[in-house]
Amino acid sequence: MPIEVALLESRALRVEQMERVDVLDKVKSLVMLPDGIHLRTEDVARYFEVSTTAVRRLTDRHQNELVENGMQVLRGADLRSFHSDMMSLWAGVVPESYPQAATRLRVHTRRTVLNVAMLLRDSDIARCVRTYLLDAEQDLRAGYASLEHRVTRVESCLAGVGTALQELGPVLNRMSHRLDSLDRRLDVTHQVVGAMSVRLGHMSEDIVRIDGRMAQLARNLKDLSRRNSKQR
């Protein structure tokens, strides 16, 4: 079954699209009442370029669904209050296209209009809205598919990294043991160098003492030589 027909026939599919009211103005400018929230049946019919009767018949057939999405039928005090609010927003200049209903007034919201677009068969505007919704849904699914593919590739790379890390573990352990052995050898070398430094210090002291004794011996020999010279 074509996807557009499924959208026309399946309420569950329509529910999935009910937040996409932005597509309405992308297809055609939607003229609201002065409160920026509501439209009359006449305004909805004008948007879809169909008769008011066609919209009324459709809303009668799907009244429960449309009421869930914001459609209201105003009567009595609610209707009088609504008219009063609209006239105050128009600053006293009420256009001729706004007749005040005597007993009741059916008003719609953007969600209601989108709901009608997914139900109304004989309207080119409604078909454009449905096409826009389905194209956007297809693009979204393609984006999800692309994202899923990229995530799968990342997961595959991570799996390879995990295997490489497992293989690298024993190598790292051997390197760690060798580094520990090298540390121990360096400690021993430091100890040997320290001992040699101490011994060299002692040798330096011995050399200084020997130098002193040699100097004293040289002086004694000179003195002895001078005495021998005088005796001759």
Side-chain angles (χ1 to χ4, degrees):
M1 173 166 60
I3 297 178
E4 183 180 355
V5 175
L7 193 61
L8 288 166
E9 300 296 337
S10 173
R11 183 171 178 176
L13 292 179
R14 293 194 293 272
V15 170
E16 292 179 1
Q17 302 294 331
M18 284 313 303
E19 301 302 324
R20 299 296 314 280
V21 294
D22 58 297
V23 305
L24 296 171
D25 287 312
K26 293 179 180 179
V27 174
K28 180 182 177 182
S29 179
L30 185 62
V31 180
M32 313 291 293
L33 288 174
D35 62 356
I37 299 174
H38 296 98
L39 306 88
R40 298 162 302 147
T41 301
E42 292 85 349
D43 302 319
V44 177
R46 191 175 299 112
Y47 177 82
F48 288 112
E49 299 177 1
V50 297
S51 67
T52 303
T53 301
V55 176
R56 286 175 178 164
R57 288 175 180 172
L58 184 143
T59 53
D60 286 340
R61 288 197 305 271
H62 301 276
Q63 182 171 350
N64 292 336
E65 181 177 346
L66 292 166
V67 166
E68 289 181 4
N69 288 305
M71 187 181 75
Q72 299 180 69
V73 178
L74 303 176
R75 299 181 178 84
D78 291 336
L79 179 58
R80 290 190 295 273
S81 176
F82 183 83
H83 284 319
S84 176
D85 291 341
M86 291 304 103
M87 287 187 290
S88 64
L89 290 171
W90 260 308
V93 182
V94 181
E96 295 180 359
S97 61
Y98 183 70
Q100 296 188 24
T103 58
R104 69 174 191 168
L105 177 66
R106 185 174 292 176
V107 293
H108 308 264
T109 64
R110 288 178 179 272
R111 287 174 64 91
T112 311
V113 178
L114 182 60
N115 202 159
V116 172
M118 292 186 283
L119 291 167
L120 190 60
R121 297 175 182 271
D122 299 325
S123 166
D124 291 337
I125 301 299
R127 279 192 288 270
C128 286
V129 173
R130 291 194 294 271
T131 299
Y132 201 106
L133 285 172
L134 295 172
D135 287 346
E137 180 72 14
Q138 184 175 1
D139 291 342
L140 183 61
R141 290 179 179 177
Y144 283 149
S146 176
L147 178 60
E148 183 177 1
H149 177 66
R150 292 198 296 272
V151 170
T152 301
R153 290 181 58 188
V154 170
E155 289 176 345
S156 299
C157 292
L158 289 176
V161 169
T163 302
L165 289 175
Q166 290 177 353
E167 295 174 353
L168 188 59
V171 176
L172 292 175
N173 286 332
R174 289 194 296 271
M175 290 180 64
S176 178
H177 291 314
R178 293 180 65 183
L179 289 173
D180 290 340
S181 176
L182 183 58
D183 285 340
R184 290 191 295 270
R185 292 173 63 184
L186 285 174
D187 288 339
V188 172
T189 302
H190 288 157
Q191 293 173 7
V192 172
V193 170
M196 291 178 63
S197 177
V198 171
R199 294 182 63 184
L200 288 173
H202 293 161
M203 289 177 64
S204 176
E205 295 174 356
D206 292 340
I207 290 171
V208 170
R209 288 194 298 270
I210 292 171
D211 285 342
R213 294 179 64 183
M214 292 294 292
Q216 183 64 38
L217 180 60
R219 288 192 296 269
N220 292 338
L221 289 173
K222 285 181 181 181
D223 291 341
L224 180 59
S225 178
R226 283 195 298 269
R227 288 197 296 271
N228 288 335
S229 296
K230 288 179 181 180
Q231 290 176 359
R232 292 177 184 175

